[in-house]
Amino acid sequence: MPDIGFVWSELGGDPALLARVSTVVRPGALPARLPVRELARACVGACALAAAELGAHRAGRVGVPRVTVDDGAVATAFTGERHLLVDGRAPQTFAPLSRFWRTADGWVRTHANYPHHRARLLHALDVPEDPAAVGSALRDRPALEVEAAVYGAGGLAVALRTPAEWAAHDQAAALATRPLVERVRLDTSRARALPPLDGTPLLPAAGLRVLDLTRVLAGPVATRTLALLGADVLRLDAPHLPELPDQHADTGFGKRSATLDLAAGRDRFEELLAAADVVVTGYRPGALDRFGLSPEALAERRPGLVVAQVSAWGAYGPWGGRRGFDSLVQVATGIAAVEGSAERPGALPAQALDHGTGYLLAAAVLRALTEQAYGDAAGGGRLVRLALARTAAWLQDGSRLPEDGAAADGAGADGAGADGAEVGTVPYDDPARWLAETDSPVGRLRYARPAVSFADGPHDWARPPGPWGVDAARW
């Protein structure tokens, strides 16, 4: 069963600090066969505790502020893209060709939200942009054949596997040898001096500069969280790869957004890197290495840097260089089979792998900053790395499935309070109390409020999102 104690240990945190965490348990939040609510609670709680710990150090406080994890706030945040309204309009979260399809021997799921992925899918299948034509092309082909053909064309399609079938896969074997949170020391540079904090709200990441090289959804969730905590987050995108506007609005709170060609604009990037404290990347492993953006190359040019990486399948194994998204990882790893029925695959009640991994990535950055400045082995650049498929394995490891097949509704007070937390129980019925509205340069927004909460901490982002790519690529 996922719990904050395990996550906190993976992050290298002091187990004594777990007593600072309190949980409001809300039955009915994120219902699923797998323990999604417990995973979401653990990820958000660990992130909030890491923030409170860093904030206490920087403010010179003797004790770490108390952390409150409310299942209602967590569930609303994990489904935030569904609650988003832009001038009263609900965005489309999945394109028509991003869905399950029957094949000759099972199912595949495709992802075609981005125009270039959609074009590659259609090219691989040699069909026009028509759902009926896609369905017809897939019905007579084996699922694994479709998976190979579409990936070979640079598109995204994954065959449905059971947990047992995934466990027998070489990529699952590679993941099994890795921790949930990989933490590596990159250099032996001197410890950075973080300026002290005073006043409220307590912003643990205030004064830190974060280069955000991420897309969909885990990476942007991580950097959005760092922005909430006071970091100056500058998102950089290639000019020829525009972001989906609604997706950018959902994950762009607190950030600035600029475009930069990493080849033509190398000098400008080096200027940004020289003044950065953290670089977060979310592209498939190796994709940025040709621009000198491997963790080792970044740390060589900017000693003491914290590099955070997130990928779909991990940076190793036969699928280490593959593209992927939460929905596809659910299908490959057996989650869709567990959550579905004999008639059709299912899905988690949220893109929980994306959101959960995003909060874990932010937590890992915060803990790396704490260790650099205040740890027993202070100084040195740090690499932290997570993968959606590894988070999926954690969700499934030791999960408790009800014998009658009903949706798991959580561990109750015993599960939530396993680390000594004070626990209350209130039903989850309406997300409205965790939603807010604001005017922004992209329109009037309704959005999910932050789930990360600790005493004296921020309650909302300092700035709403703006249009994609409109800011200057400078600090």
Side-chain angles (χ1 to χ4, degrees):
M1 178 68 67
D3 67 85
I4 189 175
F6 173 75
V7 175
W8 192 241
S9 174
E10 287 280 290
L11 293 167
D14 179 359
L17 294 182
L18 292 169
R20 306 301 295 167
V21 182
S22 299
T23 305
V24 179
V25 179
R26 294 186 185 270
L30 299 175
R33 290 190 172 94
L34 292 168
V36 177
R37 178 156 55 95
E38 288 77 7
L39 177 140
R41 178 194 298 153
C43 294
V44 171
C47 184
L49 186 56
E53 178 193 29
L54 178 58
H57 278 294
R58 294 189 64 185
R61 297 188 181 186
V62 175
V64 171
R66 292 204 64 87
V67 168
T68 300
V69 186
D70 191 312
D71 283 349
V74 172
T76 305
F78 267 56
T79 53
E81 62 272 14
R82 301 179 195 171
H83 298 297
L84 180 71
L85 294 179
V86 182
D87 287 332
R89 173 186 56 83
Q92 182 183 59
T93 55
F94 284 100
L97 298 185
S98 297
R99 47 167 283 195
F100 284 108
W101 306 87
R102 276 199 177 275
T103 64
D105 59 353
W107 295 85
V108 296
R109 181 152 189 166
T110 55
H111 196 288
N113 285 5
Y114 286 101
H116 56 294
H117 291 156
R118 181 166 61 250
R120 293 167 186 171
L121 171 68
L122 297 172
H123 174 73
L125 300 178
D126 192 23
V127 295
E129 188 176 337
D130 174 52
V134 173
S136 177
L138 293 176
R139 274 193 294 272
D140 296 330
R141 301 178 66 174
L144 291 176
E145 178 186 300
V146 172
E147 179 183 275
V150 174
Y151 264 106
L156 294 134
V158 169
L160 177 71
R161 291 170 172 84
T162 66
E165 289 169 338
W166 176 247
H169 196 281
D170 289 344
Q171 188 62 28
L175 288 164
T177 67
R178 303 284 179 150
L180 176 64
V181 183
E182 295 185 62
R183 300 182 296 130
V184 178
R185 187 160 178 150
L186 290 173
D187 60 50
T188 57
S189 59
R190 294 181 60 184
R192 71 185 67 199
L194 297 179
L197 300 176
D198 56 15
T200 55
L202 184 63
L203 298 173
L208 297 171
R209 289 172 168 169
V210 177
L211 275 180
D212 178 3
L213 308 177
T214 71
R215 295 168 72 85
V216 208
L217 181 61
V221 167
T223 52
R224 182 183 65 184
T225 303
L226 295 174
L228 169 74
L229 299 171
D232 181 4
V233 178
L234 177 63
R235 173 165 165 168
L236 292 180
D237 285 281
H240 65 284
L241 288 177
E243 183 59 283
L244 302 174
D246 293 335
Q247 190 164 267
H248 183 70
D250 181 45
T251 59
F253 282 85
K255 310 177 191 179
R256 293 179 292 127
S257 172
T259 60
L260 185 67
D261 185 315
L262 292 178
R266 183 60 179 267
D267 290 344
R268 174 54 59 88
F269 180 82
E270 292 303 315
E271 293 173 2
L272 294 170
L273 175 63
D277 300 288
V278 180
V279 173
V280 185
T281 68
Y283 291 80
R284 60 190 174 90
L288 298 177
D289 290 5
R290 69 184 186 276
F291 300 109
L293 300 184
S294 70
E296 295 76 15
L298 289 169
E300 183 177 352
R301 304 199 305 278
R302 173 63 173 91
L305 187 71
V306 173
V307 181
Q309 292 186 323
V310 61
S311 63
W313 309 106
Y316 33 75
W319 284 17
R322 287 198 174 195
R323 300 173 179 87
F325 295 95
D326 180 306
S327 59
L328 303 183
V329 175
Q330 289 188 41
V331 173
T333 60
I335 290 174
V338 171
E339 294 292 337
S341 65
E343 290 75 30
R344 185 175 178 83
L348 298 177
Q351 294 188 68
L353 306 180
D354 260 334
H355 285 275
T357 305
Y359 287 109
L360 287 181
L361 193 68
V365 168
L366 296 165
R367 287 247 63 252
L369 293 166
T370 298
E371 290 178 346
Q372 277 187 332
Y374 308 105
D376 294 334
R382 301 293 204 277
L383 166 64
V384 295
R385 187 159 53 194
L386 289 102
L388 303 189
R390 183 63 186 85
T391 303
W394 175 47
L395 174 64
Q396 296 177 87
D397 287 347
S399 61
R400 303 189 310 186
L401 296 178
E403 294 181 0
D404 62 0
D409 204 19
D414 57 335
D419 301 306
E422 298 175 5
V423 178
T425 302
V426 185
Y428 179 73
D429 48 10
D430 185 358
R433 64 178 294 187
W434 296 287
L435 299 175
E437 292 192 10
T438 187
D439 290 318
S440 80
V442 298
R444 181 73 177 173
L445 300 180
R446 187 190 74 176
Y447 63 98
R449 295 172 55 196
V452 171
S453 177
F454 57 93
D456 297 332
H459 298 293
D460 211 335
W461 289 274
R463 55 184 291 172
W468 177 83
V470 299
D471 296 300
R474 61 170 179 262
W475 294 117

